[in-house]
Amino acid sequence: MKKIFYLLSMVMLFAVACDKDNTNNEEQIKAPTALEYASVTIADHNAIVIKPEDIAPNAPVVVVATKDLELKTRAAEQLDVNFKAAEHCLIGNYILCIVEVGNDADASFLAEVKNSFSSATKAYLLSYRNEYAYTAAMQIPDTFNAYGCVSATMNATTYAANNFTKPVSFVHVHATENSLYKWYGVEPNYVAVPLCVGALVAINECTHYTTGELLPRDGMGLVSYTKYLGGKDGHEVVLYSVDGANEGWCDAEFEVYNQIWNFFKNH
Amino acid sequence: MKKFIFILSALFVCYAASAGSLKTETIEDQGVTRSYYVYLPTDLPADAPLVFILHGYGGSANAYVNNSSLTFKQLAEEYKVALCYPQATTDPRPNTGWNVYYPWQIDKMKIDDCEFICNLAKHLHTKYNLSAKNTFLTGMSNGGEMCYLMAYRKASEFGAIASMAGLTLTEMAKRHDYTTPVAFMEVHGTGDMTSRWEGDPTNQYGWGAYLAVPVAVGAVAAANKCMYQETTVLPKIKNQVIFHRYYGSPYGKEVHFYEVRNGGHNWATDSFDSCRVIMEFFKSNMR
């Protein structure tokens, strides 16, 4: 009798185990998704579109405006596995469009770039080492859900000739030792970082701010942030300042892509 | 004998330093008799600048005239500027105060103090042959709030405006926009427990909701389109003072921001020569 019970129990346990295995198979995340790269021309500008190969058609798009040809080439040739900005679209599950920009003070073509992703439910603009996010925030404030700028400030001539007219949510990442776009501005070319941010805080009608620091990585400078809150229609401005670093993404100092993406997806 | 001559000389120097004439006067404005003091230094030239000094909430012009830590009268002799210390009316609370949209003033206080100051300025320009172009405004606390309100509403009437421990109430920002660039200064203690550095967005402390001080100053810098910044640590006397200069405005209107670390709700005269700094700021904005 005991033997029968034992055998029955074993059979049941086996059945449960098999069932569990099946369930696991169903729940298992699909095989790691690869990135698709495509070189395209949008609004007469060279661009690279990078996306997870099985991404939903209505996934959000992050347009990165860059003058950095090296970066673009690296993306195009799919050579650099350490190109973290591209890899992050796997984590965030968004489409990344790196578009080459020049020195034109007109950012309106970025609306065409955005419109080329007509299925995207949300679109964000990030300018890397150039002022296009600020120019676009002035000229096409309704086009993107949020704007961001890494390692650049406003062009002084553009600022003198244009006004911010509508609130925009904006994130700015800047190293205090940036030698080209200096923190306190460069006469007569570039506006000081606190004054760029202050102009957005003013147009957003933010009322107050909070400050904080991120846990420093070994040997890296302190990363602190100021979040300007209470703005019209929930618009806010966030400034990350990275002590001691120079130009670049500041991705050695902190999870810059995560921080920017977290800001974007909240708007 | 030498000692006696020395004391006499010292007394003479003190007297000469503020030997101008102080007058108490009144003016009819908006159906109300308003009082004020005018200080005219010795040998005041024609078309001399005029500086308004506004007292704080519950305060008086008389107290400011007699406040020895405020060196404006001595500085008026040196810089050859006329001074005016107007008296605020009594508000609905009731306390003496300028109408700057505190919650208990909104819709209840009929006096328009911005109009009053401008009317008084015109009166003094004519009566004492003072410069309409070079008229300046400073004030502390409630008087500082008036500085922000005037920057919103009457910027073209002033060569420059300097607020001490002043605030931008959100009611001001709701009702007005900065339409005319104006040279502006703010001196504010980060430890000010009355007019809080970090702002009071929910009116927790009863003065009405107001902006964080750096946000308020940033709004003026943005309106002036200041493009560049210099930050200087001043020699430490009591509290450390950090001077932020925002410049490069296409309108030529700078914003100067003195951050008094751990400073309280006062003119910060124990941490730097704030009255002279204000007078120098006004001088640099003579038109």
Side-chain angles (χ1 to χ4, degrees):
Chain A
M1 188 64 179
K2 268 186 187 172
K3 257 187 185 173
I4 292 168
F5 268 114
Y6 176 77
L7 280 172
L8 266 175
S9 304
M10 289 304 287
V11 168
M12 283 170 73
L13 276 173
F14 182 68
V16 168
C18 285
D19 196 40
K20 199 175 172 188
D21 278 345
N22 286 339
T23 309
N24 263 359
N25 282 340
E26 279 169 17
E27 282 181 353
Q28 246 176 15
I29 297 166
K30 292 172 215 163
T33 312
L35 288 174
E36 286 179 0
Y37 289 73
S39 292
V40 292
T41 301
I42 312 173
D44 296 327
H45 286 257
N46 295 323
I48 309 293
V49 178
I50 305 167
K51 56 185 177 183
E53 60 186 11
D54 54 354
I55 197 164
N58 64 348
V61 60
V62 176
V63 175
V64 178
T66 181
K67 292 177 183 173
D68 193 331
L69 293 177
E70 185 199 359
L71 176 75
K72 194 169 78 72
T73 307
R74 280 156 57 186
E77 295 176 355
Q78 305 177 43
L79 291 176
D80 192 341
V81 291
N82 293 318
F83 181 30
K84 295 175 189 167
E87 287 179 346
H88 189 268
C89 65
L90 275 175
I91 300 165
N93 204 32
Y94 57 84
I95 300 164
L96 187 66
C97 173
I98 302 173
V99 62
E100 186 181 20
V101 295
N103 294 310
D104 197 341
D106 183 2
S108 59
F109 74 92
L110 289 165
E112 277 188 66
V113 174
K114 184 250 178 179
N115 291 338
S116 68
F117 297 90
S118 55
S119 304
T121 47
K122 292 199 170 182
Y124 307 99
L125 176 65
L126 184 66
S127 62
Y128 173 63
R129 295 175 70 191
N130 65 73
E131 63 279 5
Y132 273 81
Y134 278 102
T135 311
M138 282 191 270
Q139 295 173 349
I140 46 170
D142 294 326
T143 300
F144 293 93
N145 294 84
Y147 299 73
C149 179
V150 176
S151 290
T153 68
M154 265 194 286
N155 178 292
T157 309
T158 309
Y159 183 42
N162 294 273
N163 289 312
F164 292 106
T165 55
K166 286 185 176 178
V168 288
S169 290
F170 204 103
V171 58
H172 188 130
V173 178
H174 211 95
T176 57
E177 299 301 321
N178 189 319
S179 56
L180 178 61
Y181 293 96
K182 293 186 177 178
W183 186 267
Y184 289 134
V186 180
E187 296 179 63
N189 298 323
Y190 305 123
V191 180
V193 174
L195 292 166
C196 290
V197 169
L200 291 164
V201 169
I203 194 67
N204 285 358
E205 299 177 25
C206 295
T207 56
H208 60 290
Y209 62 91
T210 59
T211 58
E213 292 169 358
L214 302 181
L215 283 175
R217 287 180 174 169
D218 283 349
M220 295 297 163
L222 184 70
V223 179
S224 51
Y225 61 82
T226 308
K227 294 183 179 182
Y228 296 91
L229 307 166
K232 204 172 178 181
D233 302 326
H235 287 290
E236 57 184 2
V237 182
V238 179
L239 169 62
Y240 289 93
S241 77
V242 184
D243 272 4
N246 199 327
E247 289 180 75
W249 285 99
C250 303
D251 53 3
E253 284 77 11
F254 74 118
E255 294 285 345
V256 62
Y257 312 112
N258 265 335
Q259 295 287 340
I260 292 172
W261 176 242
N262 286 338
F263 177 84
F264 278 168
K265 72 183 182 187
N266 284 332
H267 294 93
Chain B
M1 185 62 182
K2 269 184 185 172
K3 251 188 186 171
F4 178 69
I5 291 172
F6 176 78
I7 289 167
L8 262 182
S9 308
L11 283 172
F12 178 75
V13 166
C14 287
Y15 173 75
S18 57
S21 64
L22 182 69
K23 301 168 187 236
T24 313
E25 298 182 352
T26 59
I27 184 176
E28 291 298 313
D29 184 78
Q30 301 169 58
V32 179
T33 303
R34 305 292 300 260
S35 63
Y36 57 92
Y37 291 89
V38 178
Y39 183 81
L40 301 168
T42 50
D43 304 324
L44 187 69
D47 207 32
L50 168 63
V51 174
F52 281 95
I53 303 164
L54 307 186
H55 63 77
Y57 192 66
S60 71
N62 179 271
Y64 267 31
V65 165
N66 294 306
N67 185 335
S68 60
S69 69
L70 300 182
T71 55
F72 286 115
K73 292 202 294 294
Q74 291 92 318
L75 291 165
E77 293 291 339
E78 186 181 333
Y79 287 81
K80 296 300 172 198
V81 300
L83 305 178
C84 177
Y85 300 81
Q87 175 62 50
T89 56
T90 302
D91 76 1
R93 205 163 220 196
N95 279 313
T96 52
W98 308 101
N99 187 355
V100 294
Y101 313 138
Y102 293 142
W104 58 91
Q105 294 177 335
I106 294 172
D107 300 330
K108 289 178 189 146
M109 194 171 178
K110 301 299 175 199
I111 289 286
D112 184 337
D113 279 317
C114 292
E115 286 297 334
F116 162 59
I117 298 294
C118 291
N119 292 339
L120 178 55
K122 284 189 187 98
H123 172 71
L124 295 173
H125 296 151
T126 307
K127 186 171 182 180
Y128 294 110
N129 192 17
L130 301 172
S131 172
K133 278 190 308 184
N134 292 310
T135 294
F136 303 96
L137 175 70
T138 186
M140 192 249 169
S141 190
N142 180 215
E145 272 97 87
M146 272 294 284
C147 289
Y148 282 96
L149 191 54
M150 291 293 241
Y152 275 118
R153 293 185 57 200
K154 302 284 184 185
S156 60
E157 305 290 322
F158 298 96
I161 296 174
S163 157
M164 306 292 296
L167 300 170
T168 297
L169 283 102
T170 51
E171 196 64 32
M172 291 182 198
K174 272 186 205 163
R175 293 180 185 219
H176 308 291
D177 290 315
Y178 288 117
T179 54
T180 306
V182 62
F184 195 89
M185 175 191 287
E186 170 69 35
V187 178
H188 213 107
T190 62
D192 187 332
M193 300 301 278
T194 305
S195 301
R196 290 169 179 259
W197 180 268
E198 67 277 13
D200 182 9
T202 57
N203 189 23
Q204 193 182 341
Y205 300 102
W207 293 100
Y210 58 85
L211 306 188
V213 176
V215 170
V217 175
V220 187
N224 289 358
K225 285 207 168 183
C226 295
M227 298 203 198
Y228 315 112
Q229 180 177 344
E230 275 176 2
T231 289
T232 313
V233 179
L234 303 188
K236 189 172 181 180
I237 299 171
K238 188 186 173 199
N239 295 108
Q240 186 70 69
V241 180
I242 318 286
F243 168 39
H244 307 280
R245 175 183 169 231
Y246 306 120
Y247 65 103
S249 158
Y251 314 106
K253 305 294 182 187
E254 294 196 359
V255 174
H256 291 190
F257 186 18
Y258 290 83
E259 172 187 351
V260 186
R261 291 273 167 90
N262 302 314
H265 192 63
N266 50 49
W267 285 81
T269 50
D270 53 0
S271 294
F272 74 123
D273 194 349
S274 56
C275 296
R276 181 175 292 280
V277 166
I278 289 170
M279 213 55 102
E280 275 296 318
F281 183 63
F282 290 165
K283 186 182 170 188
S284 69
N285 283 287
M286 295 268 277
R287 298 182 278 192

